[in-house]
Amino acid sequence: MTARDEILARLRTALADGPPPVPVPRRYRRVDDRSDLIDTLVDRLEDYRAVVHRGIDALPRLLSAVDRLAVPTDVPAGWLAGYAGRLHRDAPALSPATLDELDAVLTGCAVAVADTGTIILDAGPAQGRRALTLVPDRHICVVRTDQVVGLLPEALARLDPRAPLTWISGPSATSDIELNRVEGVHGPRRLEIVLISSGA
Amino acid sequence: MSHPVAPATGGGRIRTPLPFPTAARPAVADQQLRANLHRATRTIRAKRARVVDEVPDWEALRDAGSAIKADVQRRLPELLEQFEASATAAGATVHWARDAAEACRIVVALTRAAGADEVVKVKSMATQEIELNEALEAAGIAAYETDLAELIVQLGEDTPSHILVPAIHYNRAQIREIFQRRMPDAPADLSDEPAALAEAARVHLRRRFLSARVAVSGANFAVADTGTLVVVESEGNGRMCLTLPETLISVVGVEKLLPTFTDLEVFLQLLPRSSTGERMNPYTSMWTGVTPGDGPQTVHVVLVDNGRSAVLADPVGRPALSCIRCSACLNVCPVYERAGGHAYGSVYPGPIGAILSPQLTGVADNASLPYASTLCGACYDVCPVKINIPEILVHLRQQAPHPPAERATMGVLSWVMRSPRRWAAALRLARAGAGPLGAYRERRTGARTLRRLPWPASAWTRSRDLPLPAPQTFREWWEKQ
């Protein structure tokens, strides 16, 4: 008997008492009724030491201080307007060693969750593959206001489970030393969010 | 007709080598350890309470989480088959392991097949449980823990003492000392500031991450309808391991399943707030098989039984399989706060360990653990999936082997207490026997109690006083009024 068949047979024997069907009560909130979603998102992001900038105009100013910038191949041209530093497009794919030498990466996101201050990347438009937003020490992430939802259930409904998903809530952190939160371990130590309006 | 296959208990690091009271004695006497544990558990309790209180529908989320997990247990065989089909269709290879040893053999073989002699590891309770690092080392494969706390414990040649914060028993000065002793690239003037210690770990592991070819992880959740695995973490070491290597091997207990991707909306609200006391942990990764051009191109999942079928077979103890390893129950437990994690012997300490470990191994092999509790119920109150830990503790105590003398005494006592007439007579007899002694003790010590009894009753008075019968019962007093 294979391990698979044996384990499945064990589990079926274990359930010989025939437990009855379990109805799942879903009385939790599935839609946020708050009107100030954007302010909530900013509050939660800043609580976890992400830096928030408002308006597309903040981008050129931010990028002017970045020498070597990684971007996904489909980064909107408008985000790079006036950028004079060295641009590294991820085509052909940048090696981990190369990514490690760059100063920052600029991407968009798929969804942002106000309630938890979470940015979700799904490798969709303007996001690139996962390594791109992991190895550089600074992640600049553009969030459109129409990408902001209130609660987790609203975010999950917008995601494709088959895409590789990365949920980011603040910069890399640890609480392993005396349970004090310290920002900055292996992931990007600086997370900056640029909030732009839907049309921008 | 084929015979039914019996559920089987498991092995690995889930057995107490010593009875809990014996193992707890040095920990309780260690002032430094108790101070570290007290400070850490108090901090995390306050953080959890703050972020749970701000969620208006917390109880509704707990109800949903509890029901989803009960549903998973009821349908576990079919959900596992569904997970296997979905993950395989997405490009993953699914393996099955009856026990710890078989799981280790599979991971060793897969690592060798990838041509690697080292692996980077994401913190995982399942790989701790099956003692994977030891098996890899025996096979000549170096395993590098990358979670900061796991790294501290590995460098300190110690074992974890907490599910979430394996190095909770160390303070910052002790961690600096371990780094300076065992981390060759640690700066000579390393301070004990947490930020400096985190920086040292970053530098130490950076090159290893960028060049690793095989990573080993666990999973917090495995989604049956999509074949998705989920890892919840903070530091980014998880993302490094799950993204950069060519081969990813994930060791997953069969109870980790969720029926649908949508169910994550419940558990990703319950878990971070219950475990680290954060609205959301810094990083959560989800992957479904292989994504061409993005992340590991060879993806393995090892589904492990190792005693879980035995837990499932007990209708009262079954909900222990609902545990999402948040460790909220450890942080509120008065026994854990004083004894620490090592006293529990198993990788699963605290209240959840006291019910899970004995069920995984069979109660006879962990008979002292169901008694490692005051039954105060704080664990039940904070459990995000509402596991009734006190109820299961009492249930397991009934299954634990009891010495013949205790069984005989209880038998007699039960006979006496079944009849009001016998009970009243027994009380009269006890009072007559103890009357002068009670009065004497009251004069001497101000209390009608005995401190020490001769053997075998000394087992009782070793940690408690024995009260002597009162001069009259309440009923007698009432009748005189």
Side-chain angles (χ1 to χ4, degrees):
Chain A
M1 196 182 243
T2 63
R4 175 187 188 279
D5 292 346
E6 185 164 346
I7 292 167
L8 289 171
R10 287 173 178 180
L11 296 172
R12 290 201 170 94
T13 310
L15 290 165
D17 62 311
V22 187
V24 176
R26 294 188 191 266
R27 292 186 305 266
Y28 51 87
R29 294 172 302 159
R30 307 187 82 164
V31 179
D32 202 332
D33 48 15
R34 271 176 292 206
S35 56
D36 58 344
L37 284 187
I38 301 296
D39 289 339
T40 305
L41 175 67
V42 171
D43 174 74
R44 303 292 152 93
L45 284 166
E46 289 179 341
D47 193 34
Y48 284 153
R49 309 278 154 75
V51 178
V52 182
H53 309 269
R54 294 199 190 216
I56 188 81
D57 299 342
L59 253 184
R61 193 164 31 82
L62 264 179
L63 294 181
S64 66
V66 176
D67 187 14
R68 293 160 300 177
L69 180 70
V71 289
T73 48
D74 60 346
V75 64
W79 294 0
L80 296 170
Y83 180 65
R86 274 175 288 171
L87 197 61
H88 295 261
R89 286 185 190 271
D90 192 31
L94 301 165
S95 72
T98 304
L99 285 171
D100 199 31
E101 288 165 3
L102 305 183
D103 300 305
V105 56
L106 171 68
T107 70
C109 74
V111 191
V113 190
D115 187 51
T116 57
T118 303
I119 308 295
I120 304 177
L121 276 65
D122 67 355
Q127 295 161 57
R129 64 201 170 95
R130 285 171 286 173
L132 202 58
T133 51
L134 171 61
V135 182
D137 203 15
R138 182 176 175 195
H139 182 190
I140 302 168
C141 185
V142 177
V143 178
R144 288 197 323 264
T145 48
D146 65 333
Q147 292 175 317
V148 181
V149 299
L151 299 172
L152 232 56
E154 299 168 80
L156 275 154
R158 289 192 182 196
L159 294 170
D160 175 4
R162 284 157 192 88
L165 300 175
T166 305
W167 298 35
I168 300 169
S169 308
S172 158
T174 182
S175 299
D176 280 351
I177 301 165
E178 299 177 2
L179 286 168
N180 288 314
R181 185 173 162 121
V182 178
E183 276 80 22
V185 198
H186 304 296
R189 288 183 282 192
R190 293 166 71 188
L191 175 65
E192 291 177 82
I193 305 297
V194 180
L195 267 171
I196 65 173
S197 60
S198 304
Chain B
M1 196 184 127
S2 64
H3 289 287
V5 178
T9 55
R13 196 175 298 140
I14 47 178
R15 249 180 203 82
T16 41
L18 295 170
F20 181 81
T22 313
R25 201 162 292 134
V28 172
D30 183 341
Q31 298 286 327
Q32 179 69 65
L33 176 69
R34 285 185 61 169
N36 293 354
L37 281 171
H38 175 68
R39 177 145 46 130
T41 53
R42 195 185 43 186
T43 305
I44 192 82
R45 281 199 298 269
K47 285 171 73 177
R48 177 199 164 275
R50 202 164 53 238
V51 296
V52 164
D53 286 350
E54 74 176 27
V55 181
D57 52 350
W58 184 252
E59 288 308 315
L61 288 166
R62 286 179 82 207
D63 287 337
S66 174
I68 291 167
K69 282 292 192 176
D71 180 45
V72 166
Q73 285 143 35
R74 193 182 75 86
R75 298 193 288 136
L76 195 49
E78 65 175 85
L79 290 175
L80 284 166
E81 288 175 312
Q82 191 189 5
F83 173 82
E84 181 187 41
S86 322
T88 306
T93 308
V94 177
H95 310 259
W96 301 71
R98 279 167 274 230
D99 54 29
E102 186 168 23
C104 288
R105 280 198 302 276
I106 292 169
V107 177
V108 166
L110 292 173
T111 307
R112 283 191 176 141
D117 59 3
E118 60 176 56
V119 301
V120 285
K121 283 190 68 205
V122 194
K123 175 174 156 20
S124 134
M125 293 309 297
T127 60
Q128 286 283 354
E129 172 190 323
I130 63 171
E131 300 183 300
L132 179 63
N133 289 3
E134 290 80 354
L136 289 169
E137 194 186 324
I141 299 164
Y144 295 102
E145 293 291 350
T146 62
D147 169 80
L148 178 53
E150 293 273 8
L151 176 69
I152 294 163
V153 166
Q154 191 179 41
L155 290 175
E157 296 182 320
D158 197 356
T159 53
S161 72
H162 189 279
I163 291 174
L164 173 74
V165 199
I168 196 169
H169 53 298
Y170 289 122
N171 64 24
R172 58 182 74 188
Q174 293 167 313
I175 294 167
R176 177 181 64 170
E177 191 273 322
I178 291 172
F179 278 13
Q180 284 187 321
R181 193 157 42 84
R182 297 295 311 278
M183 199 187 263
D185 44 6
D189 59 346
L190 182 64
S191 88
D192 64 1
E193 276 304 306
L197 297 169
E199 168 73 19
R202 178 186 169 95
V203 172
H204 177 67
L205 287 173
R206 193 98 187 145
R207 201 159 3 102
R208 193 144 277 148
F209 281 136
L210 299 183
S211 62
R213 295 174 55 201
V214 177
V216 177
S217 83
N220 293 90
F221 307 102
V223 182
D225 72 339
T226 58
T228 306
L229 291 183
V230 182
V231 162
V232 169
E233 51 128 359
S234 296
E235 298 167 13
N237 64 308
R239 290 178 69 190
M240 288 281 179
C241 294
L242 302 171
T243 306
L244 297 182
E246 298 148 23
T247 300
L248 172 60
I249 306 167
S250 304
V251 179
V252 183
V254 292
E255 84 285 13
K256 292 284 176 185
L257 285 192
L258 294 180
T260 68
F261 186 73
T262 306
D263 293 321
L264 289 169
E265 72 188 21
V266 174
F267 291 94
L268 288 177
Q269 295 194 66
L270 289 172
L271 180 55
R273 291 183 199 258
S274 297
S275 60
T276 49
E278 293 167 307
R279 295 190 183 103
M280 186 60 78
N281 49 289
Y283 298 130
T284 298
S285 297
M286 303 187 191
W287 69 102
T288 305
V290 174
T291 305
D294 188 346
Q297 297 299 297
T298 306
V299 171
H300 295 280
V301 185
V302 185
L303 295 171
V304 183
D305 178 354
N306 199 40
R308 284 155 181 79
S309 55
V311 185
L312 190 69
D314 180 346
V316 179
R318 186 176 291 157
L321 293 179
S322 300
C323 175
I324 55 174
R325 313 280 189 262
C326 73
S327 66
C329 65
L330 277 61
N331 301 329
V332 298
C333 178
V335 176
Y336 177 86
E337 185 178 330
R338 283 157 186 84
H342 289 149
Y344 295 81
S346 159
V347 291
Y348 303 111
I352 185 62
I355 60 170
L356 192 56
S357 309
Q359 295 198 86
L360 289 171
T361 60
V363 180
D365 279 2
N366 265 320
S368 68
L369 286 183
Y371 293 90
S373 166
T374 62
L375 302 179
C376 76
C379 48
Y380 184 23
D381 290 342
V382 296
C383 178
V385 289
K386 298 179 86 166
I387 302 172
N388 190 336
I389 295 177
E391 180 188 73
I392 300 177
L393 284 167
V394 172
H395 169 69
L396 295 175
R397 286 180 186 188
Q398 287 158 359
Q399 295 173 20
H402 295 273
E406 184 189 325
R407 283 206 308 271
T409 312
M410 289 299 170
V412 171
L413 211 54
S414 147
W415 178 78
V416 169
M417 289 172 114
R418 267 201 304 272
S419 140
R421 219 154 35 89
R422 286 199 290 267
W423 177 236
L427 284 181
R428 274 197 304 276
L429 193 68
R431 207 159 52 238
L437 184 60
Y440 169 74
R441 291 293 296 171
E442 191 158 18
R443 272 202 313 280
R444 279 286 305 272
T445 67
R448 299 175 68 89
T449 56
L450 288 182
R451 285 277 171 77
R452 254 190 300 278
L453 287 173
W455 188 89
S458 57
W460 175 268
T461 52
R462 195 179 305 136
S463 48
R464 324 167 179 76
D465 291 346
L466 178 75
L468 290 161
Q472 62 178 352
T473 65
F474 174 77
R475 280 165 185 279
E476 289 163 350
W477 173 83
W478 183 253
E479 276 161 15
K480 285 187 201 146
Q481 298 307 302

